Amino acid sequence: MEFLVLTIVIIILYFIGKNYRTEDFKNINLKRKEFFRGDVLNHEAGLLVALLAKVAKADGKVGELEAELIKHTLNDISSHFENQEEVRGRLKELYNGEKDNFSNLIMLCERLYILTKNDYERRLTYLDYLLNLAFIDGDFSRTEREITEDIAQALKIENKDYAQLISKLEAFHINMKEQDELSLEKAYTILNSSSSDDDNTIKKKYRELVKENHPDIISGRGESQNKIDEATKKLQEINEAYEIIKKSRGA
């Protein structure tokens, strides 16, 4: 069987409030589609999904962001087979079966190594993708580190390359956290508030600003269209700022 060569474009993650969204998760372009037959664990695609399952469940649970990335991955991989729906179903079944089984981790890595023995960069790309999954919630736990270290060693990834991937992701998420904090600070400024204000005070200031800047009220005063447009834009900023603050407080 000809094995599928997966070239995965690493997702770009950014905060909206306190939530991530995936962007540029691009489909892999192949000149022709493969009709899949046989055991999915004899295929690079199946082995990758099995390893993703174990990394996703490494800290005992699969988070919402991890589940979302897994869903996109299954859709993306299966889209490159002629029997797409069948392959996706089998990969999903594989994922569900592998996420609670860690006893075969090294065996799966050894299989993947055999299939990619002469392509170090491809193995490095697979590891990079697995690490992106581990980091997706911004918290690289001890168990996630341990399992990805085991995978790296079994795939014969050099220690310096593993460390470089970790450093890159840590820097990325520190930057995202700083951007999130700046966004929250700006939100408090827009509402003429501070982080020390309680929820009721925030809500009161929000309502006051909405009343002051509501386009219908501005229009009722006989203001110009420019004033109405400015009020509409300001009201949108006020609403967005209020949502960011509520999310930061778990409301």
Side-chain angles (χ1 to χ4, degrees):
M1 177 186 299
E2 180 179 349
F3 290 99
L4 175 65
V5 177
L6 297 175
T7 305
I8 301 177
V9 180
I10 302 304
I11 58 170
I12 301 172
L13 302 173
Y14 64 93
F15 278 104
I16 296 181
K18 296 202 74 172
N19 296 319
Y20 277 112
R21 188 172 73 186
T22 59
E23 290 290 330
D24 287 349
F25 190 91
K26 299 177 181 176
N27 285 337
I28 310 153
N29 294 317
L30 298 178
K31 292 181 180 179
R32 66 181 181 81
K33 291 189 176 183
E34 178 182 351
F35 189 92
F36 181 79
R37 299 180 181 85
D39 185 351
V40 287
L41 282 181
N42 287 328
H43 198 289
E44 284 182 47
L47 292 168
L48 176 61
V49 168
L51 293 178
L52 284 167
K54 297 177 194 309
V55 172
K57 196 68 180 293
D59 53 6
K61 64 183 184 305
V62 179
E64 182 180 348
L65 297 171
E66 292 166 322
E68 184 68 15
L69 180 54
I70 293 295
K71 182 180 75 173
H72 282 290
T73 302
L74 296 182
N75 290 340
D76 196 61
I77 291 176
S78 60
S79 69
H80 302 290
F81 293 91
E82 291 181 14
N83 50 335
Q84 178 176 341
E85 292 303 318
E86 177 191 353
V87 171
R88 194 191 189 288
R90 293 176 66 181
L91 289 175
K92 184 176 181 180
E93 183 180 354
L94 172 67
Y95 168 80
N96 288 330
E98 290 293 331
K99 65 183 179 181
D100 293 310
N101 177 21
F102 294 89
S103 63
N104 62 349
L105 175 68
I106 302 304
M107 181 270 289
L108 295 175
C109 292
E110 289 173 346
R111 283 193 187 183
L112 185 57
Y113 175 76
I114 290 171
L115 297 178
T116 59
K117 186 174 183 179
N118 298 320
D119 195 339
Y120 182 80
E121 289 302 318
R122 189 149 100 246
R123 298 200 304 279
L124 198 60
T125 298
Y126 286 148
L127 180 62
D128 197 358
Y129 197 66
L130 292 165
L131 285 169
N132 268 273
L133 176 64
F135 269 90
I136 197 170
D137 58 359
D139 179 28
F140 189 45
S141 68
R142 178 181 59 81
T143 52
E144 287 171 331
R145 180 179 290 274
E146 289 174 352
I147 195 170
T148 54
E149 283 178 348
D150 289 342
I151 291 171
Q153 291 175 7
L155 292 179
K156 302 189 187 308
I157 301 296
E158 295 182 16
N159 290 337
K160 64 178 181 61
D161 290 330
Y162 175 79
Q164 187 175 13
L165 291 176
I166 296 293
S167 296
K168 178 191 72 173
L169 287 165
E170 286 177 340
F172 178 80
H173 283 274
I174 288 172
N175 183 53
M176 291 298 99
K177 183 177 180 181
E178 290 173 350
Q179 288 185 26
D180 186 47
E181 290 172 350
L182 288 173
S183 177
L184 181 58
E185 182 180 345
K186 182 179 178 181
Y188 278 114
T189 300
I190 290 172
L191 293 191
N192 300 326
S193 306
S194 71
S195 58
S196 61
D197 290 337
D198 60 30
D199 291 347
N200 288 333
T201 301
I202 296 290
K203 183 183 291 186
K204 182 180 178 181
K205 291 183 178 182
Y206 164 70
R207 288 176 173 173
E208 289 173 352
L209 287 169
V210 168
K211 186 176 180 179
E212 290 174 12
N213 294 276
H214 200 288
D216 291 343
I217 296 176
I218 303 298
S219 177
R221 295 175 187 164
E223 299 285 358
S224 67
Q225 187 60 47
N226 284 341
K227 291 287 187 181
I228 295 171
D229 291 343
E230 288 175 5
T232 301
K233 183 178 179 181
K234 180 66 176 176
L235 183 61
Q236 182 179 355
E237 290 180 352
I238 292 166
N239 286 329
E240 289 176 354
Y242 188 52
E243 288 302 314
I244 288 173
I245 292 172
K246 285 199 300 181
K247 286 180 181 179
S248 74
R249 296 180 173 214

